DNA sequence: CTCCGGCATT
DNA sequence: AATGCTGGAG
């Protein structure tokens, strides 16, 4: 499934030149030089997912029946934390090795067993319990499959906008929206690509970022922008002290060399909270 | 807003 | 040693 991301990313990278022209569909609304920025980030070659490491799991996933593959996609997405993807993949693999990637198996499994298998991922306790609940719901309502719409996915415990859009893309090959995680959210704000309605302020929630980004970003970029910015965000445009000197697109970035921990809005918020 | 909870980064 | 972090729920 991670392989799918790479494939889509590569396909888009090769057609990016073409997609630059399609941006003329949204004149005035899109930020200046956004094509150059995406191109520049692509050239820095920090794709999020290591192709070699993902191959093994990808094969295992591809051999599953569609229903089981989709459930595996959902389970894996639930465990994911983009900043620590190797940990996520390890946890998914351990579940898979123990035959615990189907709704049926998880429903029958002991919650403690699942908790131990996914232990290295963040929030393992909550995620183990959510996984059990989701397995139960999938069996009762969807015959062991997963919901096929954003609305129904959002009803599952522990599934929010980020995971539901990811699952629609990876599980159903259906692009309903951009998968906005913390990296996409942070970087789009630094680039000045999204703002709160009418004002020039940064968006506060990833969900706001998603809507704002979708207003102007051409559809063919909706899937590849995630692995592109996740990789970039982990290696160069880091949350604290971004490496602007090494960044090939800093000349297009209004926040370049300015975004120190003290000026980032999250730090401001926590600093404010401590004072109160 | 806080919380989760081990881990990376300072 | 201390801080800050995932994405979602309450």
């Amino acid at each position: 499934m991670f392989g799918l991301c790479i494939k889509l990313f590569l396909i888009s990278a090769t057609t990016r030149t073409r997609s630059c022209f399609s941006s003329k569909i949204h004149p005035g609304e899109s930020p200046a030089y956004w094509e150059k920025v995406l191109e520049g980030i692509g050239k820095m070659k920090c794709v999020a997912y290591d192709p070699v490491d993902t191959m093994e799991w990808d094969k295992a996933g591809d051999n599953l029946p569609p229903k089981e593959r989709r459930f595996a996609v959902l389970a894996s997405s639930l465990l994911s934390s983009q900043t620590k993807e190797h940990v996520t993949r390890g946890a998914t693999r351990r579940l898979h090795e123990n035959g615990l990637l189907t709704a049926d198996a998880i429903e029958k499994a002991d919650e403690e067993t699942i908790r131990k298998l996914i232990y290295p991922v963040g929030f393992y306790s909550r995620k183990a319990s959510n996984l059990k609940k989701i397995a139960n719901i999938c069996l009762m309502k969807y015959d062991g499959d997963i919901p096929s719409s954003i609305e129904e996915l959002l009803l599952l415990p522990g599934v929010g906008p980020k995971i539901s859009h990811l699952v629609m893309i990876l599980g159903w090959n259906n692009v309903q929206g951009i998968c906005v995680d913390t990296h996409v959210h942070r970087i789009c704000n630094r680039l000045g690509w999204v703002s709160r309605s009418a004002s020039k302020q940064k968006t506060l929630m990833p969900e706001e970022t998603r809507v704002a980004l979708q207003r102007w970003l051409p559809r063919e970029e909706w899937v590849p922008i995630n692995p592109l910015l996740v990789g970039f965000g982990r290696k160069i445009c880091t949350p604290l002290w971004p490496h602007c000197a090494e960044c090939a697109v800093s000349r297009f970035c209004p926040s370049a060399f300015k975004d120190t921990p003290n000026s980032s809005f999250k730090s401001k918020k926590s600093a404010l909270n401590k004072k109160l």
Side-chain angles (χ1 to χ4, degrees):
Chain A
M1 66 188 72
F2 291 109
L4 180 62
C5 255
I6 301 168
K7 281 168 212 157
L8 291 164
F9 168 79
L10 291 175
I11 288 164
S12 156
T14 55
T15 57
R16 178 150 296 135
T17 357
R18 188 158 48 82
S19 70
C20 293
F21 294 101
S22 64
S23 69
K24 284 175 184 170
I25 300 165
H26 316 261
E29 282 184 63
S30 31
Y33 309 117
W34 71 266
E35 301 98 323
K36 282 188 190 291
V37 172
L38 285 189
E39 209 179 319
I41 293 173
K43 279 180 184 162
M44 286 184 264
K45 295 198 203 303
C46 29
V47 191
Y49 316 122
D50 175 9
V52 179
D53 199 12
T54 52
M55 283 310 276
E56 204 181 325
W57 156 244
D58 213 29
K59 272 181 202 158
D62 284 346
N63 289 335
L64 294 173
K67 221 192 262 186
E68 291 183 19
R69 190 191 70 86
R70 283 192 290 267
F71 188 86
V73 165
L74 175 57
S76 174
S77 301
L78 197 82
L79 300 181
S80 84
S81 53
Q82 305 263 19
T83 46
K84 300 186 286 182
E85 54 177 278
H86 54 290
V87 171
T88 305
R89 233 177 289 132
T92 307
R93 197 173 292 129
R94 292 176 74 184
L95 282 178
H96 184 243
E97 281 161 4
N98 286 269
L100 284 172
L101 270 182
T102 65
D104 225 18
I106 289 177
E107 153 84 5
K108 284 175 189 142
D110 181 27
E111 193 172 311
E112 180 65 23
T113 309
I114 297 171
R115 204 181 304 167
K116 279 178 184 157
L117 287 173
I118 66 169
Y119 174 77
V121 307
F123 316 140
Y124 60 94
S125 192
R126 199 186 293 266
K127 281 175 180 178
S129 119
N130 284 339
L131 212 45
K132 287 282 287 181
K133 287 179 195 153
I134 288 174
N136 187 266
I137 295 169
C138 286
L139 283 172
M140 303 298 255
K141 286 180 67 182
Y142 304 97
D143 193 30
D145 207 332
I146 63 170
S148 58
S149 73
I150 295 288
E151 292 73 21
E152 286 173 288
L153 282 166
L154 288 173
L155 293 175
L156 302 173
V159 175
K162 185 243 164 182
I163 290 175
S164 51
H165 282 101
L166 186 65
V167 166
M168 285 307 288
I169 291 166
L170 297 181
W172 295 101
N173 199 24
N174 179 347
V175 186
Q176 290 289 308
I178 298 169
C179 176
V180 173
D181 61 24
T182 181
H183 298 285
V184 177
H185 177 59
R186 178 183 68 257
I187 295 167
C188 287
N189 271 295
R190 280 183 178 164
L191 286 168
W193 279 6
V194 290
S195 57
R196 305 210 73 169
S197 46
S199 76
K200 277 193 175 178
Q201 286 191 314
K202 288 180 173 185
T203 56
L204 291 178
M205 311 295 293
E207 206 27 30
E208 273 184 282
T209 302
R210 185 178 66 78
V211 175
L213 199 54
Q214 286 176 6
R215 270 206 288 270
W216 61 266
L217 189 70
R219 257 184 179 269
E220 61 265 33
E221 301 290 347
W222 285 17
V223 172
I225 196 166
N226 178 276
L228 187 74
L229 295 192
V230 169
F232 176 58
R234 295 200 313 141
K235 290 194 176 134
I236 295 177
C237 201
T238 49
L240 309 152
W241 297 288
H243 311 300
C244 301
E246 297 156 47
C247 176
V249 296
S250 60
R251 66 201 157 104
F252 299 118
C253 177
S255 311
F257 305 103
K258 289 181 191 165
D259 222 358
T260 63
N262 288 337
S263 72
S264 92
F265 82 99
K266 259 201 170 164
S267 303
K268 266 187 202 163
K269 250 200 301 196
S270 18
L272 199 66
N273 291 338
K274 275 177 189 171
K275 277 181 196 169
L276 296 176

